[in-house]
Amino acid sequence: MFVDVARLIEEEYNWEGFDPDFARLNQAYACAPQELAEQIDVLYDTTVTFGSYLEMDQDLRENPQGNKTALTASHRRQFEDIVRSIAPFVRRFPAGREMDEETGAFLHELSGDLAKRVVIAARQNDVITSQDAERVRALLAAIEREGLPARKAQTRGEHTARNLVLATVWGMVGMVGARTLDKTELFQKVTQFLASNVDEAIEIVVDAPVDVRAAVESVLRGIREAQGDAPTGRDEIMDPSSNRRRRD
């Protein structure tokens, strides 16, 4: 029912990014009922991203910004109706509630720019799909609209980027025992992704527990050594005098 209104918003109100974000939202919910629980992460991401526009509209009503304009009263009511319908729905699922609680508890730890670089690099190295990369990008872009839903969306994107680094590192550890390790396509992609983003990988886990951070740094040292790029003397990755922030 909201599709016709959505088509007007980016063009008439100059809300950049609205059309693709709504399309993802609409597509996420357009599945068989029994499939909803299986893609709750997609449902949650699209919902919080889309909800951030409601906060942006409120800000535009109070403080107009450039060529963006607030919705008319009629369109505002229709927008509120859809957000009020989908926001509680996704939280009916236990996994959705858990995501919301975790996201709300970490406002705000990581650098949005850092998370974007990690996601872009992962996509360039074919570690994640273009659809997943675009979904995380939309989450991170929501911070430009301010408000609690936007902060939740950005935090969700940042934690997804951190989990991406951890998942690739743990995946490498799990593949180490395979005899054809250096010949597998996945291993090569993951190695290239981490090798070209060592600094970003270290920074994104800087606030992780000491054991997690040490494991990540150990894997990254191994990659550098394997590529003949190991630092001389004391390993600079573990050097506490570096300019990277540390928290034990």
Side-chain angles (χ1 to χ4, degrees):
M1 294 173 64
F2 190 75
V3 170
D4 291 338
V5 176
R7 290 170 179 159
L8 302 173
I9 289 181
E10 183 157 332
E11 180 178 351
E12 294 189 9
Y13 297 93
N14 203 32
W15 284 18
E16 185 178 354
F18 187 89
D19 281 355
D21 284 347
F22 174 73
R24 274 189 298 276
L25 176 77
N26 199 29
Q27 183 178 11
Y29 283 91
C31 65
Q34 63 270 23
E35 297 176 358
L36 287 170
E38 298 176 0
Q39 58 169 348
I40 192 63
D41 57 334
V42 177
L43 295 173
Y44 181 82
D45 290 353
T46 55
T47 297
V48 295
T49 300
F50 192 67
S52 67
Y53 286 100
L54 195 59
E55 292 280 356
M56 185 183 76
D57 182 65
Q58 186 60 40
D59 291 340
L60 289 173
R61 290 172 180 276
E62 299 172 358
N63 300 295
Q65 302 172 16
N67 57 356
K68 295 180 181 177
T69 58
L71 299 176
T72 63
S74 175
H75 288 163
R76 169 76 182 194
R77 282 193 299 271
Q78 292 170 294
F79 194 11
E80 287 177 335
D81 285 345
I82 190 171
V83 172
R84 288 172 181 171
S85 296
I86 62 176
F89 175 77
V90 73
R91 289 159 179 81
R92 295 179 187 173
F93 297 87
R97 290 195 299 272
E98 182 178 351
M99 288 178 191
D100 198 46
E101 290 170 359
E102 290 177 351
T103 302
F106 294 98
L107 299 172
H108 158 87
E109 290 185 9
L110 304 176
S111 161
D113 289 339
L114 170 63
K116 289 178 184 177
R117 292 200 303 273
V118 167
V119 172
I120 290 172
R123 177 60 198 134
Q124 289 174 339
N125 288 278
D126 204 23
V127 173
I128 59 175
T129 66
S130 59
Q131 291 87 347
D132 285 340
E134 181 60 21
R135 178 157 57 95
V136 179
R137 181 215 61 78
L139 286 166
L140 295 170
I143 195 59
E144 300 174 2
R145 295 183 281 277
E146 300 185 351
L148 182 58
R151 293 179 65 205
K152 283 187 176 183
Q154 186 191 22
T155 302
R156 169 74 171 160
E158 290 167 354
H159 281 268
T160 299
R162 172 185 283 172
N163 288 337
L164 172 61
V165 170
L166 293 176
T168 54
V169 170
W170 301 155
M172 288 191 67
V173 171
M175 290 186 288
V176 163
R179 293 183 179 180
T180 57
L181 191 65
D182 58 341
K183 297 180 181 179
T184 63
E185 183 179 2
L186 176 60
F187 182 80
Q188 292 172 359
K189 290 178 180 179
V190 169
T191 300
Q192 182 58 40
F193 163 58
L194 292 174
S196 59
N197 294 274
V198 169
D199 291 339
E200 287 81 1
I202 293 172
E203 186 177 351
I204 209 166
V205 299
V206 72
D207 289 317
V210 176
D211 56 340
V212 172
R213 192 175 70 224
V216 171
E217 290 170 340
S218 176
V219 170
L220 294 174
R221 283 202 309 276
I223 292 175
R224 277 185 163 176
E225 291 168 0
Q227 295 191 344
D229 190 29
T232 58
R234 186 177 184 185
D235 194 332
E236 66 181 17
I237 294 179
M238 299 297 289
D239 188 351
S241 65
S242 80
N243 59 6
R244 299 187 188 92
R245 181 167 53 95
R246 298 289 189 192
R247 182 189 300 171
D248 291 333

